[in-house]
Amino acid sequence: MSIITISREFGSDGRELGKLPDDIFHFAYYDKEITLAIAEESNLAETYVEEMMEIGLSHSCPITVGRTFYYPAFLHQNTTNMLVQKKIIKALAAKGDCVVAGQSADTILWGHMPFNLFVYADLFAKLKRCRERAPEGECLTDRT
């Protein structure tokens, strides 16, 4: 069984690179499907899950306030989402040859010895790619 994980910088075209093994070798390709599966299993909105996945486990909140323990609710939900994410990714990888883009798959599937790729691009290439793919009428500058 072959597993390829792709980590990427925003705008680096990592998603398109990840689809190549699918096109050539007929590997299953998983990206947005994982977020959708987490949302369905957790009974949460897909946009909320996407936001939670982007910020990851937040360590910016103090665990204690004064002399009492403080555990914010969003931190609990985020931890729950990550456990569901881990379960889903491992189940998808167990199905056979696949490419998993993002989603911390390189860490989650570490024991399966995946081939890990990290895709990056220089700033000007990322800006150009984002401008080309922007919705019609959206005017992006170098600062937005």
Side-chain angles (χ1 to χ4, degrees):
M1 174 170 58
S2 299
I3 300 172
I4 300 171
T5 64
I6 299 192
S7 301
R8 61 193 186 257
E9 287 183 338
F10 181 78
S12 65
D13 227 10
R15 178 171 291 136
E16 284 70 25
L17 180 66
K19 291 179 181 178
L20 287 176
D22 176 30
D23 296 339
I24 298 168
F25 303 114
H26 305 293
F27 278 32
Y29 176 79
Y30 303 111
D31 188 4
K32 296 281 185 188
E33 299 84 0
I34 296 170
T35 305
L36 183 61
I38 293 168
E40 287 176 2
E41 188 160 326
S42 303
N43 236 0
L44 298 168
E46 186 177 353
T47 54
Y48 177 76
V49 172
E50 283 176 359
E51 289 173 15
M52 287 290 107
M53 302 309 282
E54 282 196 27
I55 62 173
L57 285 176
S58 177
H59 297 292
S60 61
C61 289
I63 294 177
T64 60
V65 175
R67 294 188 177 138
T68 62
F69 284 102
Y70 173 68
Y71 191 71
F74 77 88
L75 198 57
H76 172 70
Q77 185 61 55
N78 201 347
T79 304
T80 303
N81 287 347
M82 292 193 150
L83 291 172
V84 171
Q85 172 191 19
K86 182 178 179 180
K87 182 179 97 174
I88 289 168
I89 290 174
K90 285 190 170 196
L92 292 172
K95 290 182 179 181
D97 297 339
C98 65
V99 177
V100 183
Q103 312 288 341
S104 301
D106 55 335
T107 304
I108 292 170
L109 298 173
W110 177 78
H112 295 278
M113 308 275 290
F115 181 71
N116 300 317
L117 294 173
F118 180 76
V119 182
Y120 64 96
D122 64 53
L123 179 61
F124 297 110
K126 291 189 287 188
L127 289 172
K128 180 182 177 214
R129 192 170 291 111
C130 289
R131 280 193 197 103
E132 289 170 354
R133 295 189 179 165
E136 190 173 324
E138 186 172 352
C139 184
L140 297 176
T141 66
D142 288 350
R143 293 182 162 227
T144 58

